[in-house]
Amino acid sequence: MIQEKVRFQPFSSEPIRLIDEQGRWIAPFEHGLPPDRLQRFYRDMLAARLLDEKLVILIRTGKTSFIAPHAGHEAAQVGIAHALRKGHDWLFPYYRDMGLVLALGVPLVEIFGQTLGNAADPAKGRQMPSHPGSKALNVFTVCSAIASHIPPATGAALSMKLRRTGQVAVCTFGDGATSEGDWHAGINFAAVQQAPAVFVCENNRYAISVNISKQTASENIAIKAQAYGMPGYYVDGLDVLASYFVMQEAIERARAGQGPSLVELVVHRFGAHSSADDDSRYRSREELAAERQQDPLLRYQRFLEQQGLWDARWANELRLEISKALEAALQEALQAGEPDPLEMFDDVYAARPWHLEEQRRLVAEELQS
Amino acid sequence: MPTMTLIQAINAALDEEMKRDERVMLLGEDVGKRGGVFLATEGLQQKYGPDRVMDTPLSEAAIIGAAVGLAAHGMRPVAEIQFADYVFPGIDQLFSQAAKLRYRSGGQFSAPMVVRMPTGGGVKGGHHHSQSPEAHFAHTAGLKVIVVSTPYDAKGLLKAAIRNDDPVVFMEPKRLYRAVKEEVPADDFLLPIGKAAVRREGRDITLVSYGGPMVETLKAAEEMVAAGLDPEVIDLRTVMPWDKETVLASVAKTGRLLMISEAPRTASIASEVTATVSEELFDQLLAPPLRVSGFDTPYPLAQDKLYMPTVTRILAAAKRLLDY
């Protein structure tokens, strides 16, 4: 399948943007999307925002131990999710992608189960919160080690190419990840093999406290692609339709056998790095307040309003409906209870070797006494 | 039955598994036209093409990391690391990704893959072509670790490793690649991972080793036999999970354990085996279990022979056990 048209040029000096701050469509092409689809983007962004708010409540009320807030990333994450073929393509996410996996269709009960680390977590409470995964949706379970999922994304894409499955591997990461050796290793190999992969930087310009200026001397992240021999797209990640259309072009380009791309979605991080971080120590409240004025939901709301697809009443109903679904899923997850303590010894290997049998027996006896 | 060297047995195992299962593929530095720097993959790219015998960039992280993704997506990759000493740039991929994928996903994803690497000293390779890093791998939950010492085992265990559903580190003592030839069946056979081989039965003392120093261990055993002693010799073959049952049964019989390994002494496989025997057979031991091992120095070049467990050193330790 050869793409009918190429809409975007790589290596632009300004971020690719289709909707301006006032909500006006400024692209040289028609978006061609039906009203319900346009509203779906808003719905998914709102759900991502409300999920983030819910997770903040869970941490403040002591129900969970950790979160990595994604507020400010919603347009980028929803744009990525809409560009993937759900359940067909593979996603290799990082720890700030709860909005992305929600938009991709990971059930809320699983998301809360993972956050609570209880029996509702398909990964059996094995990892810290903000580390989702779903075999059913081809979401490769998040690994904390920064950029360590990039070579595996390349490997999966190689398998897709060798077996001609028509799938694409989409791999997301933050700006800090681009400094890791494994980032280079994975992206370089994917380019050499023309593997069907799309590497996506959700660039919020902070790796915990370290500003992008201390991370790289490159003028942006996208330009790094040039050295690897692949296109790099510099995109306004606060613009959901820019994120979507660029991702779609990169994904379909990969699917058509034309190789990998690097997509940089420039976003804001409205929260701290995590619930264990105090960002007032390293960035001014004025800077943050100014960024919050550029809320991706607000910009898209203005766009929809101009299309006659948004009004306050509809938005309030939507908010209520999502909030109810969040609360219901949370309650269901809370009911799940603790995982079986002896599950600690499962899934280390396909079958338990003798030494794990022995260690399991020790704990079983301890629990019985 | 054909006779083969260890490297020929590995080549045969790879060839047979690639023929049997289309999902099996090889990747690594120089594995293609060059056939690997030790020729383990010789002729295979010509036979199976550049997609299934893939030359990679010079990047262990890319090789092992891509193998994780290939495996998770359904392939059966066999990655070659040119020397065990060079695995370290790929360690985050091996430890954080391959070893923990099944666990961290609650069993949703897994990485059935093999990482092959030449290991050990005795070839005047200095410290970056001679190390025996198996304890690092054995210490990482989720990996299985095999160290072979014979052509027959190499074929049967490599084929088993490729069909295994867990990530397996497969270590090949480079000094044994062409040291001996033995009869290896030309047809399909598998050996069980986690099962030791009793190389010689005996009553007086148990010598346990694996990999390269099996050569010196068997020579020492011969000298002991010539001196009228009756040693039992065990080749662990798999060091994670190691075959406790076979070792305990032997030491229960002989009352004496000498563990021989060329890896550094502290926190080693040898330490693990001797500690376990001390814990479980304390009242049946006739002497404290001893270790003959490499030293806790970087692997030296000039003292290459001195570093390795020698027959003399093994016999001296055995004497201490027997005279105790």
Side-chain angles (χ1 to χ4, degrees):
Chain A
M1 183 184 82
I2 299 298
Q3 281 176 261
E4 287 172 12
K5 56 187 166 197
V6 174
R7 282 176 166 146
F8 304 105
Q9 289 304 313
F11 309 117
S12 56
S13 56
E14 293 299 315
I16 295 167
R17 176 183 277 195
L18 306 181
I19 299 171
D20 70 9
E21 279 294 342
Q22 286 71 46
R24 290 175 302 219
W25 179 256
I26 53 169
F29 59 87
E30 296 296 319
H31 59 70
L33 296 167
D36 60 335
R37 186 71 191 272
L38 290 173
Q39 286 181 323
R40 184 76 203 186
F41 283 102
Y42 183 80
R43 198 208 125 86
D44 288 348
M45 286 168 71
L46 185 59
R49 175 64 54 84
L50 294 176
L51 171 63
D52 194 73
E53 290 173 3
K54 197 79 174 175
L55 294 173
V56 171
I57 292 168
L58 288 181
I59 195 84
R60 289 194 179 145
T61 54
K63 286 196 171 70
T64 187
S65 54
F66 175 89
I67 58 161
H70 57 260
H73 287 233
E74 294 91 344
Q77 295 188 359
V78 169
I80 297 166
H82 277 250
L84 278 158
R85 283 197 202 161
K86 294 174 188 177
H88 178 67
D89 294 333
W90 281 48
L91 176 69
F92 290 73
Y94 79 124
Y95 56 79
R96 202 179 302 287
D97 274 337
M98 293 297 251
L100 170 49
V101 300
L102 176 65
L104 200 63
V106 173
L108 272 171
V109 177
E110 290 186 13
I111 287 176
F112 285 122
Q114 206 280 316
T115 303
L116 299 167
N118 73 7
D121 175 12
K124 306 176 187 176
R126 295 257 170 74
Q127 293 206 98
M128 284 171 75
S130 297
H131 289 60
S134 166
K135 179 75 178 169
L137 287 160
N138 296 334
V139 177
F140 189 77
T141 306
V142 171
C143 175
S144 309
I146 302 296
S148 72
H149 61 310
I150 286 148
T154 295
L158 271 176
S159 177
M160 294 163 185
K161 178 190 162 199
L162 295 177
R163 298 195 288 166
R164 297 182 176 87
T165 63
Q167 295 165 299
V168 175
V170 173
C171 179
T172 57
F173 45 83
D175 38 305
T178 64
S179 298
E180 288 281 8
D182 286 12
W183 187 85
H184 159 78
I187 287 185
N188 180 56
F189 193 16
V192 168
Q193 286 293 333
Q194 290 291 288
V198 180
F199 301 99
V200 191
C201 181
E202 296 180 35
N203 178 9
N204 61 29
R205 301 178 314 287
Y206 281 95
I208 303 189
S209 67
V210 176
N211 186 268
I212 186 90
S213 61
K214 296 282 183 287
Q215 203 68 247
T216 180
S218 298
E219 64 178 85
N220 57 46
I221 300 294
I223 200 169
K224 291 171 187 276
Q226 199 147 35
Y228 294 98
M230 65 170 79
Y233 299 96
Y234 182 39
V235 185
D236 181 351
L238 302 171
D239 177 344
V240 66
L241 293 185
S243 301
Y244 166 70
F245 278 111
V246 173
M247 280 302 301
Q248 191 197 43
E249 190 164 302
I251 288 173
E252 294 315 319
R253 183 178 181 282
R255 203 186 309 283
Q258 293 165 16
S261 310
L262 175 62
V263 177
E264 173 184 5
L265 303 174
V266 182
V267 298
H268 291 319
R269 193 187 82 196
F270 289 158
H273 158 69
S274 76
S275 50
D277 179 34
D278 170 11
D279 64 333
S280 69
R281 294 169 69 98
Y282 55 82
R283 66 172 173 177
S284 73
R285 299 301 86 180
E286 292 74 29
E287 177 190 324
L288 186 59
E291 288 183 0
R292 281 184 176 276
Q293 294 300 308
Q294 299 169 350
D295 190 319
L297 271 84
L298 197 60
R299 194 195 307 184
Y300 193 59
Q301 175 189 320
R302 290 181 187 131
F303 168 77
L304 286 183
E305 263 185 305
Q306 289 168 28
Q307 315 285 312
L309 295 171
W310 191 95
D311 64 58
R313 198 177 141 191
W314 174 73
N316 279 335
E317 279 170 11
L318 205 56
R319 179 178 288 267
L320 208 63
E321 178 198 320
I322 294 165
S323 299
K324 272 188 189 165
L326 284 164
E327 184 58 25
L330 174 61
Q331 290 307 321
E332 190 183 334
L334 282 165
Q335 306 296 315
E338 292 300 309
D340 179 346
L342 293 177
E343 279 182 354
M344 175 163 78
F345 297 100
D346 295 345
D347 305 319
V348 183
Y349 299 96
R352 272 195 301 277
W354 65 265
H355 66 293
L356 289 179
E357 286 292 355
E358 281 186 2
Q359 291 164 26
R360 185 177 186 274
R361 210 174 305 129
L362 195 75
V363 173
E365 285 166 9
E366 191 182 298
L367 291 172
Q368 273 174 2
S369 63
Chain B
M1 200 182 293
T3 59
M4 292 182 192
T5 60
L6 200 149
I7 196 84
Q8 287 168 334
I10 284 163
N11 185 273
L14 294 172
D15 191 3
E16 285 177 27
E17 289 306 295
M18 292 190 76
K19 194 183 293 173
R20 180 189 62 81
D21 184 349
E22 282 194 332
R23 299 171 306 161
V24 177
M25 66 167 291
L26 316 181
L27 69 165
E29 296 157 18
D30 306 297
V31 300
K33 274 187 192 162
R34 177 71 178 79
V37 294
F38 289 100
L39 302 179
T41 57
E42 188 177 25
L44 297 178
Q45 192 183 61
Q46 287 86 327
K47 203 163 171 180
Y48 298 103
D51 282 345
R52 287 185 69 200
V53 182
M54 187 180 283
D55 277 322
T56 64
L58 202 163
S59 169
E60 292 77 13
I63 295 165
I64 298 175
V68 171
L70 282 156
H73 192 260
M75 296 290 282
R76 290 273 167 164
V78 182
E80 177 174 301
I81 298 299
Q82 207 154 71
F83 286 85
D85 312 74
Y86 299 128
V87 71
F88 300 105
I91 283 294
D92 205 21
Q93 292 304 321
L94 194 59
F95 288 7
S96 301
Q97 285 289 345
K100 294 177 180 68
L101 179 57
R102 185 189 296 280
Y103 198 73
R104 79 166 192 262
S105 67
Q108 296 182 90
F109 295 96
S110 60
M113 57 190 264
V114 179
V115 183
R116 292 180 40 247
M117 58 186 80
T119 187
V123 294
K124 280 278 184 184
H127 47 260
H128 288 305
H129 296 83
S130 306
Q131 295 172 87
S132 298
E134 60 269 18
H136 296 296
F137 309 133
H139 204 72
T140 300
L143 300 177
K144 291 179 176 170
V145 186
I146 294 170
V147 192
V148 292
S149 77
T150 71
Y152 177 82
D153 285 359
K155 185 175 167 189
L157 280 167
L158 181 53
K159 286 165 68 81
I162 291 169
R163 298 187 205 182
N164 195 272
D165 289 332
D166 294 307
V168 179
V169 178
F170 192 90
M171 305 179 76
E172 305 159 5
K174 63 181 86 69
R175 69 178 166 118
L176 302 186
Y177 270 151
R178 291 174 177 82
V180 284
K181 275 195 166 189
E182 71 174 352
E183 290 195 333
V184 178
D187 53 349
D188 188 37
F189 73 98
L190 302 176
L191 292 173
I193 294 170
K195 190 81 191 129
V198 178
R199 301 293 184 203
R200 185 185 191 283
E201 286 189 31
R203 308 182 152 273
D204 296 336
I205 183 171
T206 301
L207 308 179
V208 178
S209 188
Y210 60 89
M214 275 309 299
V215 174
E216 288 72 29
T217 301
L218 287 165
K219 275 186 194 152
E222 273 174 35
E223 293 203 18
M224 290 165 78
V225 172
L229 291 161
D230 187 19
E232 180 144 311
V233 182
I234 295 173
D235 183 347
L236 283 182
R237 305 195 291 193
T238 302
V239 299
M240 185 66 188
W242 63 282
D243 186 353
K244 185 174 82 162
E245 197 183 349
T246 297
V247 172
L248 288 190
S250 174
V251 181
K253 179 173 67 176
T254 63
R256 297 179 179 92
L257 169 66
L258 179 59
M259 176 81 210
I260 302 111
S261 157
E262 67 176 86
R265 185 181 187 83
T266 302
S268 63
I269 304 298
S271 305
E272 181 60 30
V273 172
T274 49
T276 303
V277 167
S278 300
E279 278 183 3
E280 304 213 9
L281 293 178
F282 190 71
D283 55 0
Q284 296 173 62
L285 292 173
L286 301 173
L290 292 182
R291 289 167 288 169
V292 171
S293 65
F295 300 104
D296 294 325
T297 66
Y299 196 104
L301 177 75
Q303 298 88 355
D304 190 84
K305 292 277 180 286
L306 190 63
Y307 183 94
M308 306 275 282
T310 57
V311 173
T312 312
R313 211 175 279 152
I314 294 168
L315 288 172
K319 187 170 185 320
R320 273 183 65 196
L321 278 168
L322 292 159
D323 292 350
Y324 187 80

